[in-house]
Amino acid sequence: MSNIKEFDCRPVSQEGAESPMAWTHQHHESRPAGQNPGVRIAEKAFLGHLILRGGAIVLDEAVRDILGIALPGRPNTMTQNDAGTHSVQWLGPDEWLVIVPGGEEAELETKLRKALGDAHFSIVNVSGGQTVLTLSGANVREVLMKSVVYDVHPSAFPVGKGVTTVFAKATTIIRRPAEDHWELVVRRSFADYTYRWLLDAAAEYGVTQERA
Amino acid sequence: MFHIYCPYCDEYREEEEFHPSGQAHLRRPADPANSTDDEWGGYLFFRDNERGVHHEMWLHAVGCRKFFNMTRNSATYEIYETYKMGERPSVTAENVGDLKRQSGVQAETSGWQTVGARPESESLNEEEQA
């Protein structure tokens, strides 16, 4: 058993907690949406993000046992449970991103460490470092086409795919968990920039922002 | 702009996602403490500046964040192949001519960088003759 000291960095109460989007929401008023907005932007705030690194076979076994979903073995893919609340995404040949509902990440980390035992692995809790923006609506693909160099056509980007790429010069994880539903995982320091880029790029189609 | 095949992501990505990381296949002296200044200095500081086939390391910086190797022509910018760390290149300066002939393409291993471009001295000489 490893002698790593674990620490649940989530406060007991979420009162006063601020997501990476807090500054943006405080400093920019919500724009009025048109009649039939082409793009809807929402934030999935305060989720639990873990970075798993290690060998695919041992990690797959542990993740299957504990989360009940398989580790995506093929590059640039993601797996999720039926409800879409828990997901595992391939980031590199020895690196995966696990996103779970907020508050579950510390317990998950403990369970994974126990299951993995003496295997060669690393688990890092990055929940505070990034946030998830969801995009939906008829014109999402047009907005993404303006922003990323990656091909987002359905033939190149089917449901279940997820890539790390350049979004308007910022490093962003883009994933497509459902047919009409895209997610951006953005770094805290790029959240305001990315969000305002999205508002600007989506303005011509009409955009609504759902604020938590 | 390069369209680079990442051997770890298993697909082509834009050059914007990559970062070049210098010459590949450098061999570190086995015993640094007892190597000569020439050996150690050569390993640390001196790099080949090949015209033609060149083996390089690249980093998929915005992506899987892995280093990999690329065989590229430094004169024509043609990318022959990319391969994972620890693997040996299948295209080298010695066999690139043969590979090109097999595929029916004229070998351009040490030619001018762009078609029609010639060294200054040669074109000047020709003008004098004319």
Side-chain angles (χ1 to χ4, degrees), chain A residues 119-173:
Chain A
H120 183 62
F121 69 96
S122 143
I123 301 175
V124 183
N125 186 342
V126 293
S127 307
Q130 53 196 28
T131 190
V132 179
L133 298 177
T134 66
L135 305 175
S136 54
N139 298 103
V140 172
R141 199 155 64 82
E142 279 84 348
V143 172
L144 288 173
M145 280 160 64
K146 288 200 260 184
S147 315
V148 296
V149 291
Y150 199 85
D151 187 2
V152 292
H153 190 269
S155 62
F157 211 123
V159 173
K161 190 161 187 174
V163 298
T164 314
T165 187
V166 184
F167 180 97
K169 298 184 187 177
T171 304
T172 305
I173 297 170

Side-chain angles (χ1 to χ4, degrees), chain A residues 51-74:
Chain A
I51 293 285
L52 303 187
R53 302 202 62 174
I57 294 166
V58 276
L59 284 179
D60 181 45
E61 206 170 297
V63 169
R64 266 176 210 271
D65 283 354
I66 292 159
L67 281 180
I69 45 182
L71 207 67
R74 284 186 35 240

Side-chain angles (χ1 to χ4, degrees), chain A residues 75-76 91 93-95 149-150 161 163-166 171, chain B residues 8-14 16-17 62-66:
Chain A
N76 304 312
L91 293 185
D94 57 359
E95 184 175 2
V149 291
Y150 199 85
K161 190 161 187 174
V163 298
T164 314
T165 187
V166 184
T171 304
Chain B
Y8 294 101
C9 290
D10 211 13
E11 60 183 18
Y12 283 93
R13 298 290 191 93
E14 294 288 332
E16 194 179 354
E17 297 185 8
V62 184
C64 59
R65 297 198 285 272
K66 289 285 171 194

Side-chain angles (χ1 to χ4, degrees), chain A residues 46 113 171 197 209:
Chain A
F46 307 119
R113 284 192 188 284
T171 304
W197 173 286
Q209 313 140 60

